Amino acid sequence: MKRRNFIKFAAVSGVAALPSALNATSQNVDKISQNKAAMKRFEIAINSADAAALKELVDPKAPFLTPASPEPLYGGEGYFAVVKMMRDSFPEVQWAMQDMVADERCVAVYWLCTGTHEHDFAGVAATGRKFSARVMNFYYFNDAGKITNDVAAEMAIDILQELSAHAINNDFPLRFAFFSYFWLKSPKNQKATYGLHQASKRQWPTVRH
């Protein structure tokens, strides 16, 4: 093919492919907007303990690991069980979205969780103390716009550590040890914890682990 004809062919091909590329970009933007809107609804749902909304937002087969259960909890009902566990111990608990970054398949959310320790939590009797914990969650979405996975740091450990600074019960270190033991007893939790540790070593190689 002569140079002039080649350039003409390339230009025509590029113009022909442009609508398809623009359409793909538009679809990705739509998915990102859809995922962000879903996370806004999710924030309202967990702060109002709206079981129906969580069932709508979360895929029924989505698994969630939590120290509250030795086995994964599934779907919106499973996630609601996690929210209920927190509300049973901290009735006025609130999750405030501090920041959010999204693409077409995942939304990263930086949460600030606050509450007052009014009832037993992981074996620790109510202290009446307030807590404030920050955590990063990564929510994965399917093509239907439903949450299929939630990867996060274990916030319950942060809450217990903060409560321990004020706890007057001398048995707290023992209770915390038992809580950690039952969390790590699950092979899936062991794998998740090891994976987070390895990821942190790769991300921050100069930090002592």
Side-chain angles (χ1 to χ4, degrees), residues 2 7 11 14 24 61 63 68 79 136 139 146 178 184 201 203:
K2 293 183 178 179
I7 294 174
K61 295 182 180 179
Y79 210 99
M136 176 75 77
Y139 299 90
K146 292 184 180 291
F178 272 113
L184 292 172
K201 288 174 67 177
Q203 185 69 26

Side-chain angles (χ1 to χ4, degrees), residues 16-209:
L18 186 58
S20 154
L22 290 175
N23 184 53
T25 301
S26 176
Q27 288 179 351
N28 287 342
V29 170
D30 288 343
K31 283 185 178 181
I32 291 171
S33 298
Q34 175 182 288
N35 292 346
K36 284 186 172 182
M39 286 312 307
K40 287 292 186 181
R41 291 184 59 204
F42 182 83
E43 180 182 21
I44 295 171
I46 59 177
N47 283 317
S48 59
D50 190 337
L54 286 172
K55 190 173 182 179
E56 182 182 343
L57 290 165
V58 180
D59 187 275
K61 295 182 180 179
F64 301 102
L65 294 173
T66 168
S69 172
E71 298 297 328
L73 303 175
Y74 291 91
E77 293 181 356
Y79 210 99
F80 180 75
V82 178
V83 173
K84 184 178 183 303
M85 177 199 75
M86 289 292 293
R87 288 197 169 278
D88 285 346
S89 301
F90 312 93
E92 58 184 34
V93 66
Q94 289 288 295
W95 290 267
M97 188 184 296
Q98 304 296 290
D99 203 355
M100 172 172 56
V101 178
D103 64 17
E104 62 275 9
R105 70 182 188 91
C106 179
V107 179
V109 179
Y110 179 39
W111 296 105
L112 171 62
C113 182
T114 58
T116 304
H117 186 207
E118 297 183 18
H119 301 287
D120 180 275
F121 180 67
V124 180
T127 62
R129 300 286 182 173
K130 295 184 179 298
F131 79 87
S132 176
R134 297 177 183 273
V135 64
M136 176 75 77
N137 289 58
F138 295 86
Y139 299 90
Y140 291 85
F141 288 79
N142 59 19
D143 291 337
K146 292 184 180 291
I147 296 170
T148 60
N149 197 10
D150 172 8
V151 179
E154 184 42 58
M155 185 176 65
I157 299 297
D158 293 336
I159 295 173
L160 281 169
Q161 286 177 331
E162 184 159 334
L163 293 178
S164 71
H166 306 292
I168 58 175
N169 188 334
N170 292 331
D171 290 336
F172 181 83
L174 180 61
R175 289 177 177 178
F176 180 76
F178 272 113
F179 180 83
S180 300
Y181 166 75
F182 283 114
W183 164 251
L184 292 172
K185 188 176 180 181
S186 165
K188 291 182 179 179
N189 293 345
Q190 292 172 9
K191 184 177 180 180
T193 303
Y194 177 77
L196 286 171
H197 177 67
Q198 293 301 108
S200 70
K201 288 174 67 177
R202 292 193 296 271
Q203 185 69 26
W204 300 287
T206 59
V207 177
R208 183 177 179 181
H209 294 272

